[in-house]
Amino acid sequence: MVEFLSDGLGWLKARDLAGTWADVSGFLIAVFGFGATLIGVRKSKNAAVAAQRAAQATRDSIRLLETIVDFSTAIAVLEDIKRAHRETGMSSTLPERYASIRKQLIVLKSSGTKLSDVQLAVIQNAVANLSAMEDHLEKALANKGAFPVAKFNNLISRDIDKLVDVLTTLKTDQEATRGTD
């Protein structure tokens, strides 16, 4: 076998083809190596894109979870305000609570979670109702006037019902997202 290779190399040298075959084989190795490198680069790029998508999906999932928690908290605060209305009627601490929950709802509205126009309108309506109630309560406290507890609790109850609807939809979206992971 060694003798065959030696004879073959001698034959190539005698005809001055050894350099040509080395050049051709070197060229072929370079082409296949470059092709393999390109395939590796493409696989790396695809892996990077997949990792980026997974990271974005994780961020979206976390944002959705935070929004769900914030909605749950807002609903609980509105329930507390209803309870405070029943127990104390007018209270000097209520305007602060109205303002606080309004801010929380405004933050929810602009949280970056994809909310439909209807869901955004529900939040905006609750903010408007709280603003009107706060204004009415401030005037009632200043003038020692009447405060319509039943009317305001009815408004808050309707807002709570609509916010629970939004919350339920968000939870369903989260479960659907979890199911596709």
Side-chain angles (χ1 to χ4, degrees):
M1 179 71 154
V2 174
E3 200 175 297
F4 174 75
L5 286 175
S6 177
D7 289 344
L9 285 175
W11 184 80
L12 289 171
K13 284 183 183 179
R15 288 169 181 66
D16 203 24
L17 295 174
T20 304
W21 283 106
D23 289 345
V24 169
S25 63
F27 175 75
L28 290 175
I29 290 171
V31 167
F32 287 119
F34 186 67
T37 301
L38 289 178
I39 290 169
V41 167
R42 186 188 309 135
K43 285 181 180 179
S44 295
K45 179 185 174 201
N46 290 344
V49 168
Q52 186 178 20
R53 285 185 188 139
Q56 184 61 46
T58 300
R59 281 191 295 272
D60 291 345
S61 180
I62 290 170
R63 187 177 301 124
L64 180 59
L65 181 62
E66 288 173 345
T67 301
I68 288 170
V69 168
D70 289 344
F71 263 101
S72 297
T73 302
I75 291 166
V77 170
L78 287 171
E79 291 288 354
D80 285 344
I81 289 173
K82 276 179 37 180
R83 196 172 308 108
H85 283 169
R86 282 188 215 106
E87 291 172 1
T88 62
M90 287 192 312
S91 167
S92 60
T93 62
L94 279 173
E96 293 169 13
R97 293 174 87 182
Y98 288 152
S100 172
I101 191 62
R102 258 194 5 258
K103 288 175 193 167
Q104 186 175 4
L105 289 171
I106 290 168
V107 168
L108 271 171
K109 196 171 87 170
S110 60
S111 69
T113 301
K114 292 183 185 355
L115 297 171
S116 71
D117 290 341
V118 171
Q119 292 169 327
L120 292 171
V122 165
I123 296 170
Q124 184 57 44
N125 190 47
V127 168
N129 287 340
L130 287 164
S131 182
M133 284 186 266
E134 181 181 2
D135 185 51
H136 191 85
L137 179 62
E138 290 285 1
K139 289 176 183 173
L141 286 170
N143 300 329
K144 307 284 187 221
F147 182 70
V149 171
K151 175 184 174 189
F152 285 173
N153 276 357
N154 186 23
L155 278 173
I156 291 174
S157 290
R158 280 191 271 158
D159 288 340
I160 288 172
D161 291 346
K162 291 175 183 175
L163 290 170
V164 167
D165 242 3
V166 173
L167 176 61
T168 302
T169 302
L170 292 174
K171 285 181 178 180
T172 302
D173 290 349
Q174 182 193 33
E175 289 169 5
T177 302
R178 236 190 259 159
T180 61
D181 290 347

